Amino acid sequence: MATALTLDPELDAPHRRIDSGRWDDIYVVGDVHGCRPTLERLLDRLDPAADDLVIFVGDLVRKGPDSAGVVDLVRHTPNFLTVRGNNEQKLVDGRKSVASLTDDDLSWIASLPVAISWDDSLVVHGGVDHRKPLVDHGLTDLLNMRSLVPDGSYDRPYWFETRTAEPRIFFGHTVLSEPFETPAAVGLDTGCVYGGQLTAYRCSTGEFVAVEPETTHEDRSADSIVDPDRNAPLST
């Protein structure tokens, strides 16, 4: 039975519910960050048919060299969808800019949902705090959630290591040394813009598919790349 997924009605971006029965398969792709050649090689590996759906966890833009190219590819491919990431939100808020993006691109980015769901699965960029109902989550939670410690971005416990409830959350944002998977959470940001891999998850088989980037576009300190722990103690 599908879980009822209700988000905060005051959010300034929608929640999109899809009918999984329309698609032969669903793939979820991690943070691309303007790395279009890497994305193209991943898509070659996945080889999605027109009846397959590809969903991105957000952060299509910034840090890598071709944000406009990634936006163009995702925006104009009929069976591609994406949620809004915190880097898209920075463009929407005017805190950051990308010169190569057109006004039409920015309008499209502003229209992106913050969540996409089907059956008992939910895609958001940052995460979900299992200690409170979905309806109580705001943009900051859904786009930036990482630690369950107040203001403790890289302090354990992390929400995804301690989550056991439905729906299953597919997420990016937290750069991981390797993909993370439990029955309750799937983490897909393996840091392609930082020299890590670009990773996708095939929902029908539970298979991770990853490609190496062509180069490292931005450095990242080791203490902000998380080694995920699937055996972390449950939070209370």
Side-chain angles (χ1 to χ4, degrees), residues 1-6 15-23 26 55 116-123 134 166-168 170 203:
M1 179 181 297
T3 302
L5 303 176
T6 305
H15 163 210
R16 181 167 181 174
R17 183 77 172 168
I18 62 173
D19 178 5
S20 63
R22 291 186 52 210
W23 305 100
I26 297 175
I55 302 175
I116 294 172
S117 67
W118 68 95
D119 302 335
D120 295 326
S121 296
L122 176 69
V123 178
L134 274 173
E166 292 183 341
R168 191 183 207 192
F170 291 85
C203 292

Side-chain angles (χ1 to χ4, degrees), residues 7-118:
L7 296 178
D8 184 345
E10 299 302 318
L11 291 175
D12 65 354
H15 163 210
R16 181 167 181 174
R17 183 77 172 168
I18 62 173
D19 178 5
S20 63
R22 291 186 52 210
W23 305 100
D24 290 343
D25 211 337
I26 297 175
Y27 298 88
V28 188
V29 178
D31 301 38
V32 180
H33 280 299
C35 299
R36 177 161 175 162
T38 310
L39 174 58
E40 289 174 335
R41 287 190 292 107
L42 178 63
L43 293 170
D44 285 343
R45 284 277 310 276
L46 298 178
D47 194 23
D51 292 331
D52 297 329
L53 180 63
V54 180
I55 302 175
F56 295 80
V57 300
D59 276 9
L60 301 178
V61 300
R62 301 193 62 245
K63 303 185 180 181
D66 193 6
S67 292
V70 173
V71 167
D72 182 69
L73 178 59
V74 176
R75 181 182 174 189
H76 294 109
T77 305
N79 57 329
F80 287 8
L81 297 175
T82 186
V83 297
R84 185 187 302 186
N86 66 302
N87 277 285
E88 282 82 25
Q89 189 63 41
K90 289 174 182 178
L91 300 181
V92 172
D93 294 342
R95 288 176 287 154
K96 298 291 183 179
S97 62
V98 176
S100 58
L101 294 174
T102 67
D103 288 343
D104 282 347
D105 291 332
L106 294 173
S107 294
W108 176 78
I109 287 170
S111 74
L112 294 175
V114 296
I116 294 172
S117 67
W118 68 95

